[in-house]
Amino acid sequence: MEYNASGDLLASTSSDTPSTIWIHSLESGRALTTLIHHSPIKALHWHPVLPDLLLIHCAIPEPTVHLWRAGWHSPRIQTLPLKAPVGKLKVAWLSCGDEKVRFVLSSNNQSALGQLHYTGEEDPWHAGGDSFARMGPEAMFDEGHSIDLSPVKPEADGLPTNTPTVELTAELGQTTEVQDTFHYRHAKQTAVYTLFHEDLSTASRAMATDPPQIKIAPPPWTCHYEAYVGAFYVSAKSGLPRDLAYEHLEASSAETSEAGVWKGGMVMIQLLRYTSTPVGPYDEMILLPGNFDVPGGHGSHTRITRIYVSQRDTTYNGRKNWNIPKHIARFKYTGDFSAPPFTVQLFPQDPSIDTPFFTASLQHLAFWTPSFPFSSNLLKWIGIPNTLVQPPLPEGDPREVICGTNTWYKVTTSIYSPKTKLVWMDLKQPGKEANEERNNWWPGIKRWHLGLWLQSTQMDLGYPEIVKV
């Protein structure tokens, strides 16, 4: 276990799951995140000044370090180009009497230094030259970004002349983990690298990259709500109507175009009213248009491609936590959501637009039907898994908290309703003209669909699992 400098975060591992790190907030008593690695964790080091910055070293032969910060969407991973054989590696933060954020990765015969420095700040270890590759701030957020970090050519004393060797050497003597592995003034193979550019102002605390006035709610989530679910089957031969399957931002992005082939299947439309979530109550409309192939040989999985909500907090957290492409819309109801019949209409945020882009009406069946319990585990028996595999999201207007992501996520949901009933869902849509109407919403389907009315429902939305494609 490792406590951070301010005493409000705890990073821990377990002998039962040696490749997993749990990070807990001691103020709230809740887990902030779980970091799952491919290899056992060898060392954890919180930064002595920045309380939310964690340096991670795994028990692997490659010279790789992981860095995690509360405001980052995912850890930064970087392999340093040390010469093989590397040997036994150790990692530690370095303190040089200033505000620079530096660490050292070393073996018994070589070492490399890394520094995180302010965006736009000149690299203090290198005055220029073709032998040093820099990484711009826009590339920093690209998952799996490959960098050719060529070492700085050593000077006569083993480091560039502009490197503060006196300060580093003095502080190195206080760093017991690395003081016996190499000495700066005699390490001919020492290389110096700038790994990442990031605004690391000590005035900003955890979640420094999150937008202001947004409630940050990391997974897991437990939510309570009432919902209506309509479903119909479509064949892949009919083609995916992109204007219906995606919001404009996702429809026009390269991430969506490269996110796998649509396979058709069971299309589900869900209308939800949340009464309790980590970010408060809100309304939601979800479209799951069947299955998609996941690149990299991960099979076929369902995903949410279009989703609208009625508030900002869930928009930002849904996109950031699980790659759920949430956008904000205005919801208008005619009737009572909890007592069909009623009609719901969705409008763009712009209050001057009075034409809905989606309409649905719910009503009881003509004959009495009993209620029954419903569990998402039952869906697996009819070939509908309770897992989502969500591709990375493009970034939209930051003022509307439409954040982008860069990693594929797989997430499992657990849903249970003790009281579920059958209802009719009518997808008749108003046309552009007053006298025009379409009899359906999705091309080629019928207007009426049998659906489920889930009452007193609980959903558990867990930690996402990174999917490498």
Side-chain angles (χ1 to χ4, degrees), residues 198-222:
E198 175 70 303
D199 182 5
L200 295 178
S201 171
T202 55
S204 58
R205 292 290 304 275
M207 308 304 176
T209 61
D210 292 319
Q213 300 178 343
I214 290 294
K215 182 176 182 179
I216 304 303
W221 281 23
T222 295

Side-chain angles (χ1 to χ4, degrees), residues 205-369:
R205 292 290 304 275
M207 308 304 176
T209 61
D210 292 319
Q213 300 178 343
I214 290 294
K215 182 176 182 179
I216 304 303
W221 281 23
T222 295
C223 305
H224 297 90
Y225 61 90
E226 187 173 2
Y228 298 87
V229 181
F232 51 89
Y233 179 84
V234 294
S235 170
K237 296 179 180 179
S238 63
L240 181 67
R242 292 178 65 88
D243 61 326
L244 293 181
Y246 299 101
E247 170 68 23
H248 176 73
L249 173 65
E250 282 75 31
S252 59
S253 72
E255 288 91 341
T256 303
S257 301
E258 300 170 359
V261 178
W262 180 61
K263 308 296 290 184
M266 189 66 68
V267 177
M268 287 188 286
I269 299 172
Q270 302 180 12
L271 302 170
L272 305 93
R273 171 161 286 180
Y274 291 91
T275 56
S276 173
T277 78
V279 294
Y282 60 92
D283 292 342
E284 187 173 70
M285 176 268 189
I286 301 175
L287 171 64
L288 299 98
N291 296 322
F292 292 79
D293 278 340
V294 178
H298 294 283
S300 180
H301 294 270
T302 189
R303 71 178 63 157
I304 296 173
T305 62
R306 195 171 184 180
I307 176 172
Y308 294 96
V309 294
S310 59
Q311 53 117 300
R312 289 162 52 88
D313 291 347
T314 186
T315 302
Y316 181 78
N317 285 280
R319 296 180 72 93
K320 181 178 179 180
N321 291 346
W322 302 285
N323 290 354
I324 298 177
K326 295 187 177 184
H327 291 266
I328 302 175
R330 292 181 291 128
F331 288 69
K332 179 182 178 181
Y333 296 93
T334 302
D336 186 350
F337 186 91
S338 298
F342 73 90
T343 298
V344 59
Q345 293 179 310
L346 271 64
F347 299 82
Q349 279 189 272
D350 187 347
S352 65
I353 300 177
D354 57 4
T355 301
F357 59 83
F358 175 81
T359 300
S361 298
L362 280 298
Q363 66 181 45
H364 293 289
L365 301 186
F367 52 89
W368 179 86
T369 57

Side-chain angles (χ1 to χ4, degrees), residues 30 40 103 115-116 187 256 265 272:
R30 296 181 56 189
F103 62 89
Q115 173 172 311
L116 291 82
T256 303
L272 305 93

Side-chain angles (χ1 to χ4, degrees), residues 55 125 137 173 226 231 402 440:
L55 179 62
W125 286 346
E226 187 173 2
I402 308 299
N440 56 59

Side-chain angles (χ1 to χ4, degrees), residues 399-410:
R399 295 171 299 178
E400 303 300 335
V401 296
I402 308 299
C403 63
T405 61
N406 52 27
T407 306
W408 281 76
Y409 278 155
K410 178 180 180 180

